[in-house]
């Protein structure tokens, strides 16, 4: 596995990062954003859904993260079905940060722009919800849940933003793992689209995460997870 353990105390002690300057307007270089309303998309070939007990088994005894338990394995020995992780884009090799200093309406936008996990900006608690069999992601940077902005328009439609105090359909995701690739993917419960990193956007939304792909087509929709421990 390429994943590794990170110190939570080091994250919270790190200083805040400055908001990057805005640049040119973002542009699309991939399929158009999802239409309004629910859209069912089947799980991609070679990818398995990951439930709470499987993610709870993620941290191995050797100090390195482990792949989720295969079907038929025993349940987790941990008492909870959640964990805290950093999310790294395979496309550009950057960690996802919560832009809590961005001005409205982009306050809390998620962007894969950090070269390392330097603080709480890059930390997310993955909270399992048994009834819907989905995860909610809570940012350590601002203590808000990540939502898919289905009502935004243009290039910002379906952008991921840490702005919610509670978790509903807007804030829920199905988590997938591909053992052969050792990669992860997220699918929005709001529109059924997979989360992609907008590598070719420019300006303040460059590398933003957006739920807009019908399938996992490549590195755009693939991520690595690194567990954060206290």
């Amino acid at each position: 596995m390429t994943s590794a353990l990170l110190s939570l105390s080091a994250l919270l002690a790190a200083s805040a990062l400055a908001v990057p300057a805005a640049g040119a307007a973002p542009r699309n270089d991939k399929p158009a954003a999802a239409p309004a309303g629910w859209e069912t998309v089947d799980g991609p070939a070679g990818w398995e859904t990951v439930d709470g007990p499987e993610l709870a088994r993620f941290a191995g005894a050797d100090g390195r993260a482990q792949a989720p338990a295969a079907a038929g394995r025993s349940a987790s020995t941990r008492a909870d079905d959640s964990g805290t992780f950093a999310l790294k884009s395979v496309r550009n090799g950057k960690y996802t940060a919560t832009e809590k200093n961005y001005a409205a309406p982009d306050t809390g936008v998620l962007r894969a722009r950090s070269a390392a996990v330097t603080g709480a900006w890059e930390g997310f608690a993955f909270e399992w919800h048994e009834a819907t069999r989905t995860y909610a992601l809570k940012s350590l940077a601002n203590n808000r849940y990540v939502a898919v902005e289905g009502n935004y328009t243009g290039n910002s439609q379906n952008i991921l933003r840490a702005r919610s105090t509670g978790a509903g359909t807007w804030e829920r995701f199905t988590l997938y793992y591909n053992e052969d690739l050792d990669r992860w993917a997220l699918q929005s419960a709001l529109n059924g689209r997979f989360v992609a990193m907008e590598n070719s956007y420019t300006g303040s939304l460059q590398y933003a995460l957006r739920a807009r792909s019908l399938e996992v087509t490549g590195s755009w929709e693939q991520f690595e997870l690194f567990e954060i421990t206290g």
Side-chain angles (χ1 to χ4, degrees), residues 18-172:
V19 59
R27 60 184 176 85
N28 275 326
D29 57 352
K30 295 278 281 181
W38 180 272
E39 183 170 350
T40 301
V41 180
D42 293 333
W47 295 75
E48 287 187 68
T49 57
V50 180
D51 64 19
E54 287 175 331
L55 186 59
R57 292 175 62 89
F58 191 81
D62 61 353
R64 293 182 63 82
Q66 301 295 318
R73 284 194 178 179
S74 60
S76 171
T77 57
R78 278 179 48 174
D80 62 276
D81 288 341
S82 62
T84 306
F85 299 89
L87 192 64
K88 185 178 183 180
S89 168
V90 172
R91 180 68 182 181
N92 70 352
K94 302 286 188 178
Y95 291 93
T96 299
T98 299
E99 300 292 5
K100 66 177 185 178
N101 287 345
Y102 269 23
D106 293 331
T107 310
V109 161
L110 268 59
R111 283 204 313 134
R113 53 83 164 158
S114 299
V117 179
T118 59
W121 295 75
E122 294 87 15
F124 298 90
F126 280 56
E127 298 181 3
W128 173 249
H129 189 243
E130 182 65 31
T132 60
R133 305 195 67 77
T134 59
Y135 287 92
L137 278 60
K138 194 173 191 178
S139 170
L140 300 187
N142 63 3
N143 205 36
R144 297 296 180 102
Y145 287 99
V146 175
V148 173
E149 297 293 6
N151 288 341
Y152 276 23
T153 59
N155 291 316
S156 295
Q157 188 177 30
N158 300 322
I159 210 84
L160 269 61
R161 197 162 72 91
R163 54 81 165 162
S164 302
T165 56
T169 304
W170 295 72
E171 294 82 17
R172 299 209 174 277

